[in-house]
Amino acid sequence: MFLLTPVLVALVCILMVWIFKNSDGGTEQRKGEARAQAEACPWVDEDLKDCTDVHQVEEDANGWQESEEDVEHIPFSHTRYPEREMVRRSQEYYELLNKRRSVRFISNEQVPMEVIDNVIKAAGTAPSGAHTEPWTFVVVKDPDTKHQIREIIEEEEEINYLKRMGPRWVTDLKKFRTNWIKEYLDTAPVLILVFKQVHGFAANGKKKIHYYNEISVSIACGILLAALQNAGLVTVTTTPLNCGSHLRVLLGRPANEKLLMLLPVGYPSEDATVPDLTRKPLDQIMLFYFLKTS
């Protein structure tokens, strides 16, 4: 029995060395994959990573709000239309949104603030993970603040075009004649900056988990675009790469908010143009599976 002890010790040592090497190799592999991902997607904005980490929440449970009590349910109010009316409404809504374009030539003519209030309220009707409503819409009208926003974005965008985005993306954008100069950030009467809240705060000051915060806010942005189109206003979706932290400081937003999108909003200028583009037909974006019959 005692003769086997050194053998067992040796086997245990070999096993531990093997486990350590494989663990270290796995770490190196993950680092290599991360580097490869960064090289393949240099435009990934570190400020926009989804920080919903349930495992971290479980480890640090004292700092997070407990689940709320049950919410009362009420009868659902619904309007059902005749089939012909449904077809008409859906066709008209499609035709309205099909006219939506990304417009970079925006007039400085002022827009009614009541309209801005209404379109943001419409965006706030979006569904969200566990009804956390993880969005903040910052409306900027002050000319000096708009110009500061433009300076921050153009400084970073020049670096983006020359270095971060890579030749493929820059080449793909040439046909749209875009660059890092963003005049519309000065001329548009309203800028709407959409922030996602990676977590919230309960009344007692504890953190509140915001599940699927980026998806939830992205849905809200889609509704906002539709509401602007419905109101007769134009915009262009902009995602200022590596500008979020600077803009967050400029606007006095807390660290739990990350800039997801910036929308210059207004009327199109008289000389506004857009690229002559077409959209994919229905048979290229929808698949329809019929029920099998025996």
Side-chain angles (χ1 to χ4, degrees), residues 246-271:
H246 302 294
L247 295 176
R248 185 169 65 243
V249 171
L250 173 66
L251 298 173
R253 302 313 306 158
N256 66 309
E257 294 186 0
K258 311 294 183 183
L259 181 65
L260 186 68
M261 188 172 294
L262 187 154
L263 300 175
V265 174
Y267 301 106
S269 60
E270 293 184 359
D271 58 350

Side-chain angles (χ1 to χ4, degrees), residues 211-257:
Y211 308 96
Y212 293 108
N213 50 73
E214 184 160 325
I215 294 175
S216 301
V217 181
S218 297
I219 296 172
C221 287
I223 295 176
L224 178 57
L225 292 174
L228 289 169
Q229 178 70 12
N230 182 63
L233 297 175
V234 299
T235 187
V236 53
T237 55
T238 66
T239 51
L241 181 63
N242 288 313
C243 298
S245 58
H246 302 294
L247 295 176
R248 185 169 65 243
V249 171
L250 173 66
L251 298 173
R253 302 313 306 158
N256 66 309
E257 294 186 0

Side-chain angles (χ1 to χ4, degrees), residues 85-97:
E85 176 72 1
M86 291 172 63
V87 172
R88 183 189 67 80
R89 290 171 66 92
S90 62
Q91 177 65 25
E92 288 180 354
Y93 191 66
Y94 158 69
E95 291 174 356
L96 170 69
L97 293 191

Side-chain angles (χ1 to χ4, degrees), residues 34 73 75 154 166 179 182 194 227 232 267 269:
H73 282 218
E154 287 187 342
N179 54 41
K182 313 291 183 185
V194 186
Y267 301 106
S269 60

Side-chain angles (χ1 to χ4, degrees), residues 16 27 64 78 97 108 138 198 224 247 290 292:
M16 291 178 65
T27 302
W64 294 82
H78 174 66
L97 293 191
N108 60 6
V138 178
V198 295
L224 178 57
L247 295 176
F290 293 90
K292 293 181 179 179

